[in-house]
Amino acid sequence: DVKVTQSSRYLVKRTGEKVFLECVQDMDHENMFWYRQDPGLGLRLIYFSYDVKMKEKGDIPEGYSVSREKKERFSLILESASTNQTSMYLCASSLKQVAAYEQYFGPGTRLTVT
Amino acid sequence: AQTVTQSQPEMSVQEAETVTLSCTYDTSESDYYLFWYKQPPSRQMILVIRQEAYKQQNATENRFSVNFQKAAKSFSLKISDSQLGDAAMYFCAYQEYGNKLVFGAGTILRVKS
C-alpha cells in the first residue's frame, strides 16, 4: 500500500519565520510534487521533482523553495512566511511517467501564518 | 494554458440516488488524460477514475462512471447508488503525456440520509 506522509497536520507560524514542510513516500516513486489547496482555486502546483536533487518550478513557485536530497523525501521551504501563504499544502508522489500516472497524496498540512 | 472548469461548487444527493458532477476543460491537444480525484473530509485524496482521450469507451469503476465527450471537451462523473461515504470534495484533473496535472476548483458533494 502506497503511503505518503507529511510531517505535520496543522502548523501555526509567525510572519517572517522560516518554515519547513516535510514529505516522505515509501514506494520508491521517482516523482514528487508540492501543491497548495485554496477554496475556489483547487490545487495549484508549487514545485515538483523528477529525481534526487532535481527540481522544477510549478505554477506558483514565488516565495517557496524545495529540497530533494533523498529519493523518498521532498521538502517545501517557506523562506520568510507571509500571511498570504496561509493554506493547505499537499504533497504527492508518482511513478516515473510511462503513461498517465496516478498521483498518491499525503494527508496535507494546514498552515496558518499570523 | 490548459484549464479545467467545475461549474458546480456544491451538489447534494439523496442516499441511494444518482448524481452527476460536471467538468469541462480547454485544450488544443488530441492526446491527454482525465481524472476524477476524491478528497473525503480530513482524509487523503484518492483517485476515483481515469480516462484516456484516445479511448472512445467511457471508463467505469463499480458505481462510478464517466461521460467523456471529446468534441465538447466535457468529462462528467456519475455516481450511482450514492452512499454516505461518497461525501467528499471531488476534483477533475487534466494531464498531457508526461506533464503535470491541472486541477479544477472542486465540487463538494453532500449525501443526505
Side-chain angles (χ1 to χ4, degrees):
Chain A
D1 218 20
V2 177
K3 197 167 182 183
V4 180
T5 58
Q6 295 182 227
S7 49
S8 306
R9 291 299 299 269
Y10 300 94
L11 209 53
V12 179
K13 295 292 181 180
R14 293 191 180 275
T15 302
E17 278 193 83
K18 190 168 187 176
V19 181
F20 292 87
L21 303 182
E22 302 283 335
C23 175
V24 178
Q25 50 92 5
D26 66 357
M27 285 301 293
D28 204 34
H29 284 173
E30 292 85 1
N31 303 330
M32 296 190 75
F33 307 83
W34 275 107
Y35 296 91
R36 64 176 282 175
Q37 180 181 356
D38 299 289
L41 296 177
L43 278 70
R44 292 179 291 166
L45 184 63
I46 304 171
Y47 268 96
F48 59 102
S49 169
Y50 288 142
D51 203 348
V52 175
K53 296 190 184 296
M54 180 274 187
K55 60 185 178 184
E56 294 281 346
K57 292 181 180 180
D59 297 318
I60 51 166
E62 296 79 18
Y64 304 94
S65 62
V66 290
S67 172
R68 193 167 181 200
E69 296 297 317
K70 293 184 178 181
K71 190 175 185 179
E72 67 272 17
R73 189 179 297 269
F74 192 35
S75 302
L76 180 69
I77 303 154
L78 287 66
E79 294 288 344
S80 178
S82 64
T83 54
N84 62 12
Q85 292 178 310
T86 291
S87 186
M88 170 71 87
Y89 290 87
L90 297 177
C91 174
S93 71
S94 71
L95 286 168
K96 190 172 185 179
Q97 72 256 18
V98 289
Y101 47 86
E102 176 181 354
Q103 291 191 16
Y104 295 85
F105 285 84
T109 296
R110 186 166 294 281
L111 173 68
T112 302
V113 182
T114 62
Chain B
Q2 286 73 20
T3 58
V4 176
T5 301
Q6 294 178 249
S7 59
Q8 306 152 318
E10 289 191 31
M11 292 283 284
S12 290
V13 63
Q14 199 70 35
E15 206 175 357
E17 294 190 345
T18 296
V19 64
T20 298
L21 307 185
S22 300
C23 174
T24 58
Y25 57 94
D26 183 28
T27 185
S28 58
E29 300 295 325
S30 59
D31 289 330
Y32 50 86
Y33 305 89
L34 296 163
F35 305 82
W36 279 98
Y37 278 87
K38 171 186 177 181
Q39 186 180 41
S42 301
R43 293 179 61 188
Q44 286 165 257
M45 184 133 60
I46 56 172
L47 178 67
V48 175
I49 200 164
R50 158 186 23 222
Q51 174 81 42
E52 291 87 348
Y54 65 85
K55 289 186 178 179
Q56 293 187 342
Q57 187 172 6
N58 288 327
T60 299
E61 290 286 342
N62 302 313
R63 297 182 295 107
F64 297 86
S65 61
V66 298
N67 183 5
F68 173 48
Q69 302 288 329
K70 191 172 184 179
K73 298 179 185 175
S74 170
F75 183 61
S76 60
L77 175 69
K78 185 172 84 171
I79 306 173
S80 304
D81 186 25
S82 296
Q83 300 174 359
L84 294 177
D86 294 334
M89 174 82 88
Y90 287 82
F91 290 98
C92 178
Y94 164 98
Q95 183 200 18
E96 291 169 15
Y97 182 88
N99 282 335
K100 61 186 182 181
L101 281 172
V102 177
F103 286 87
T107 296
I108 297 172
L109 178 64
R110 305 189 194 281
V111 181
K112 303 176 188 176
S113 58

